[in-house]
Amino acid sequence: MVIVQENRSFDNLFYGFPGANTATVAQLSNGSTLALQPLPFESGYDLGHGMQDFLTDWNSGKMNGFDIDGGPNAECYGPIGSCPASIPVNAEFSYVEHSETAPYFAMASNYVLADNFFTSQIDSSYDAHLFLVAAKSHIVNNPTNFPWGCDAPSGTTVSTMLPNRIVGPGIFPCYDDATLGDELDAKGLDWRFYAPAIGGDLGEIWSSYDSYSKIRYGSDWTSKVVSPETQVLTDVERGYLAPVTWVVPDLANSDHPGNGSATGPSWVTSIVNTIGQSPFWNSTAIIIYWDDWGGFYDHVPPPQLDTWGLGVRVPMMVISPYAKRGYISHVQYESTSVAKFIESIFGLPTLGVADARANNLDDCFDFTQQPSPFTPFYQKFPTEHFIYEKPSNRPPDTD
């Protein structure tokens, strides 16, 4: 199972995690430093995190451009006129308060935390979710309208990426590339992609398979792309979990800055606890990662492997009865390492793009050990809190 959350750098979410490579101070463009400060999930801001933001933040590997990027490009949610007051000063140089990340710290302390995991893309969410299922992209940044994908309104475009990271002409966001879903179908293996429904609580913009015409206009769309995303909880409780499963959240449960909510850790914990207490535990690996850095500071320079990446470092956890216990993996991984792992476990051919170069997740597992029993993690919001989709009056996030 792959659980994808939103917009957090490693230093922002796992600040101070024992044994992990984290920073307490940020390097600024003028050569000075600034201490990272705690800031809760529910603070009302959203920092720029498109390609140009990456190039500014990264600054040719110096990782010292955040102070000339985050502030001027900050956005926020809320009534007109209230936004400027709700954007904290130096929000890009923050970490989430430990009281709110406690569930993530507990999972990482008991299983595997990877502190050298980078996104396969240098821009924001749309591209990230293409790499999730296709290990490649033709585009950069986000489409001009909602929803993103084949269901976008006529006239919607998304910029192409040209060599040397030049933004090219716009195209409609619906593609005919091969995906992991296609490979699983060819192998006769079942899969599910749980996502909010089109027109739901904004999570439909992260519904990856809506961008691939063979899935969107084929039988898989109604049988294997499942909405609402909370159905994963009831499906597992009723005795069904597909061999390969992806889960993306609605906005409130996504950890996305600016959504006014701190329920993301409990949402993730509800899925982990539901599987851990089910008959599926002994044969399951749960991989959790965040799709992009969200504009937050991270001190580790990402290796530059091609036009699209690598992007800023984000957290990744592996929870499984066969995962190493209390282990920090320092192996260099990227988003498409997850696709590589799926391909290796199920004997799928490589898609022949970023998954071909990515390191597998071998360092995270010990398949010779006896499956370890599961102990439930504490969650502030009970599982029942997530069963029903909740209406949202928040405006769409454009990053």
Side-chain angles (χ1 to χ4, degrees):
M1 169 178 280
V2 183
I3 301 172
V4 183
Q5 294 290 100
E6 293 291 316
N7 295 43
R8 297 286 167 176
S9 72
F10 192 94
D11 281 339
N12 174 261
L13 204 59
F14 279 91
Y15 172 94
F17 189 90
N21 181 11
T22 65
T24 58
V25 297
Q27 303 296 319
L28 305 186
S29 58
N30 63 6
S32 64
T33 61
L34 181 70
L36 302 186
Q37 298 295 321
L39 205 60
F41 274 123
E42 58 272 25
S43 294
Y45 60 92
D46 183 16
L47 303 170
H49 47 284
M51 182 183 71
Q52 187 55 54
D53 299 297
F54 167 82
L55 295 174
T56 302
D57 295 348
W58 171 65
N59 195 15
S60 299
K62 298 182 184 70
M63 304 304 288
N64 66 354
F66 290 81
D67 60 313
I68 54 176
D69 173 42
N73 291 331
E75 304 166 2
C76 65
Y77 298 118
I80 294 174
S82 71
C83 290
S86 70
I87 301 174
V89 176
N90 295 323
E92 60 271 36
F93 301 113
S94 67
Y95 64 91
V96 182
E97 295 176 344
H98 287 168
S99 61
E100 295 191 329
T101 55
Y104 292 148
F105 271 53
M107 293 178 202
S109 297
N110 280 276
Y111 293 98
V112 177
L113 175 67
D115 71 351
N116 205 25
F117 183 98
F118 303 89
T119 61
S120 294
Q121 88 292 341
I122 60 172
D123 61 331
S124 45
S125 291
Y126 182 59
D127 217 6
H129 287 263
L130 301 183
F131 275 95
L132 173 64
V133 298
K136 69 180 291 188
S137 173
H138 307 283
I139 60 88
V140 64
N141 298 325
N142 294 335
T144 56
N145 284 308
F146 297 94
W148 297 341
C150 300
D151 281 293
S154 175
T156 299
T157 61
V158 61
S159 298
T160 51
M161 176 85 93
L162 302 179
N164 300 318
R165 294 176 171 168
I166 296 173
V167 175
I171 59 174
F172 189 71
C174 188
Y175 323 107
D176 60 2
D177 299 313
T179 66
L180 287 169
D182 297 313
E183 292 194 329
L184 291 163
D185 287 344
K187 191 87 172 182
L189 293 168
D190 203 5
W191 57 273
R192 292 291 185 274
F193 192 100
Y194 292 90
I198 300 299
D201 191 16
L202 298 183
E204 77 271 12
I205 65 178
W206 303 315
S207 190
S208 306
Y209 284 108
D210 191 17
S211 291
Y212 295 97
S213 55
K214 284 181 285 187
I215 301 294
R216 176 60 186 92
Y217 300 119
S219 60
D220 284 348
W221 183 252
T222 55
S223 62
K224 296 177 182 177
V225 178
V226 179
S227 299
E229 77 291 348
T230 52
Q231 185 66 34
V232 67
L233 300 171
T234 51
D235 280 355
V236 171
E237 289 175 348
R238 292 168 182 169
Y240 180 76
L241 180 64
V244 179
T245 299
W246 294 269
V247 185
V248 298
D250 68 4
L251 179 62
N253 299 325
S254 68
D255 296 333
H256 197 296
N259 69 8
S261 172
T263 59
S266 285
W267 160 245
V268 173
T269 303
S270 72
I271 302 171
V272 172
N273 283 347
T274 298
I275 292 174
Q277 297 173 96
S278 77
F280 301 110
W281 169 246
N282 280 355
S283 59
T284 299
I286 304 171
I287 301 165
I288 305 161
Y289 77 91
W290 283 256
D291 75 331
D292 68 56
W293 83 112
F296 292 109
Y297 181 78
D298 195 84
H299 75 285
V300 178
Q304 296 305 286
L305 304 183
D306 64 13
T307 301
W308 276 270
L310 301 176
V312 175
R313 190 176 63 141
V314 297
M316 191 272 285
M317 294 187 287
V318 176
I319 300 170
S320 170
Y322 300 100
K324 295 176 181 178
R325 302 302 301 272
Y327 182 68
I328 299 175
S329 177
H330 305 300
V331 172
Q332 181 179 303
Y333 294 125
E334 60 177 286
S335 307
T336 51
S337 293
V338 179
K340 180 87 162 243
F341 176 71
I342 292 170
E343 290 165 349
S344 67
I345 291 294
F346 294 99
L348 304 177
T350 177
L351 288 164
V353 279
D355 56 329
R357 65 150 188 244
N359 288 322
N360 205 341
L361 302 179
D362 298 335
D363 184 57
C364 299
F365 294 92
D366 179 0
F367 290 110
T368 67
Q369 70 185 20
Q370 291 296 311
S372 58
F374 180 78
T375 300
F377 293 99
Y378 170 76
Q379 58 188 85
K380 181 177 180 180
F381 297 91
T383 298
E384 291 75 11
H385 176 85
F386 304 105
I387 296 299
Y388 300 104
E389 285 212 292
K390 301 170 288 301
S392 172
N393 58 3
R394 300 183 186 95
D397 171 38
T398 56
D399 287 301

